[in-house]
Amino acid sequence: ASRASSDVVDVSNFVAKPLPESFLKHGLYLMYYERPNTLSDNALFRPIVPIRVKLNLDSPSFLEVSAYSGSLRETNQQNICAFFKRGDDGHLSLDWPIFMQTRHRLLSQFVEQHDPKARHVFRLMVLELEPALKNNIYNPQNPGNDWYRIHCPGYDQETHVVSVPNPSPTADFLRRVFSSSPNHQQKIHAITAELAWLPGGDKQQHTLGISKIICLEFLGLNAGLKAR
């Protein structure tokens, strides 16, 4: 069967990207997809989606929804990540789950479906939620949780707030991870974790949450901290 040209990921468009020392010491390397330097049709015209819609102040029309979905498809390949790990034999292995996750925007799809029965393992970047939001917005509405902000490694501008029931092994693990970060380092970590829609709050509304930690970092690495 033939495939559309937009569905082909050309290996020649991948370039090496620098990683922090914490990644390199584990033999991790990253190739990042860069689209050819061509001007898209979208760049020639004024955006059709108004700023009030983007800020969720107004509901989008059908035409605006279609235009926004089309723009996402146009930029989909921009953020494909190819992580490699150098093994003991010196050979590099591709982290296939993160390649597929970024290639097909699987995290975004999971969040949009909002299915209470769904559970899925993702490669994630996680950081602590801002104290003002945690104390004034999320804790009053849904107490008994820790709160973090996550994003897919390829889409750092698309963040999601997640809950972590406390007490729980997952909450204990993440607290140990963040308390071990030196003060001068940026407190953001790579994890492999299972996400689910967890019940909570007075009205038992489901919230996006981390249900299980698989390991710290990617490719089965645990950097001395194992999930329990």
Side-chain angles (χ1 to χ4, degrees):
S2 61
R3 292 182 298 176
S5 59
S6 60
D7 192 45
V8 176
V9 180
D10 190 345
V11 67
S12 64
N13 290 325
F14 280 86
V15 297
K17 293 291 182 179
L19 287 176
E21 181 63 29
S22 59
F23 282 72
L24 297 178
K25 69 181 181 181
H26 291 296
L28 276 180
Y29 305 90
L30 170 63
M31 300 291 289
Y32 198 78
Y33 189 90
E34 286 197 346
R35 300 180 68 190
N37 188 22
T38 58
L39 191 63
S40 67
D41 292 340
N42 290 340
L44 301 176
F45 300 95
R46 181 171 174 264
I48 196 171
V49 182
I51 188 65
R52 288 183 59 84
V53 171
K54 291 184 178 181
L55 295 176
N56 296 321
L57 299 177
D58 291 338
S59 298
S61 67
F62 178 77
L63 178 60
E64 290 164 350
V65 170
S66 299
Y68 181 66
S69 299
S71 66
L72 287 182
R73 286 192 295 270
E74 285 295 321
T75 59
N76 184 30
Q77 294 184 340
Q78 185 70 30
N79 301 314
I80 302 174
C81 295
F83 274 98
F84 294 87
K85 179 186 178 184
R86 189 177 299 281
D88 295 336
D89 58 1
H91 295 153
L92 291 173
S93 298
L94 172 66
D95 187 337
W96 184 252
I98 201 170
F99 176 82
M100 296 300 292
Q101 176 182 315
T102 56
R103 172 70 180 88
H104 297 289
R105 300 174 62 89
L106 298 183
L107 176 60
S108 177
Q109 293 182 33
F110 182 86
V111 173
E112 291 172 358
Q113 289 173 357
H114 206 287
D115 182 0
K117 297 180 180 180
R119 292 175 180 267
H120 199 282
V121 173
F122 293 99
R123 313 294 209 203
L124 301 169
M125 305 304 297
V126 58
L127 61 158
E128 293 178 300
L129 187 64
E130 299 86 337
L133 290 177
K134 179 175 60 177
N135 297 329
N136 298 318
I137 302 297
Y138 289 95
N139 278 343
Q141 293 181 357
N142 197 344
N145 289 278
D146 292 342
W147 298 93
Y148 295 88
R149 190 178 293 278
I150 62 169
H151 66 78
C152 177
Y155 298 87
D156 57 1
Q157 299 301 310
E158 298 178 15
T159 65
H160 309 280
V161 175
V162 294
S163 63
V164 179
N166 184 32
S168 69
T170 300
D172 294 341
F173 175 81
L174 288 174
R175 287 186 175 187
R176 295 203 316 272
V177 168
F178 281 92
S179 64
S180 65
S181 300
N183 292 331
H184 67 277
Q185 289 186 358
Q186 184 181 16
K187 291 192 174 183
I188 182 168
H189 294 278
I191 61 171
T192 300
E194 179 188 79
L195 296 185
W197 288 94
L198 306 176
D202 296 336
K203 298 181 180 179
Q204 291 299 304
Q205 294 179 342
H206 287 76
T207 61
L208 183 64
I210 299 177
S211 52
K212 184 189 300 183
I213 299 290
I214 307 302
C215 66
L216 187 64
E217 300 190 17
F218 306 146
L219 291 156
L221 299 177
N222 54 49
L225 284 174
K226 297 181 179 181
R228 292 183 298 181

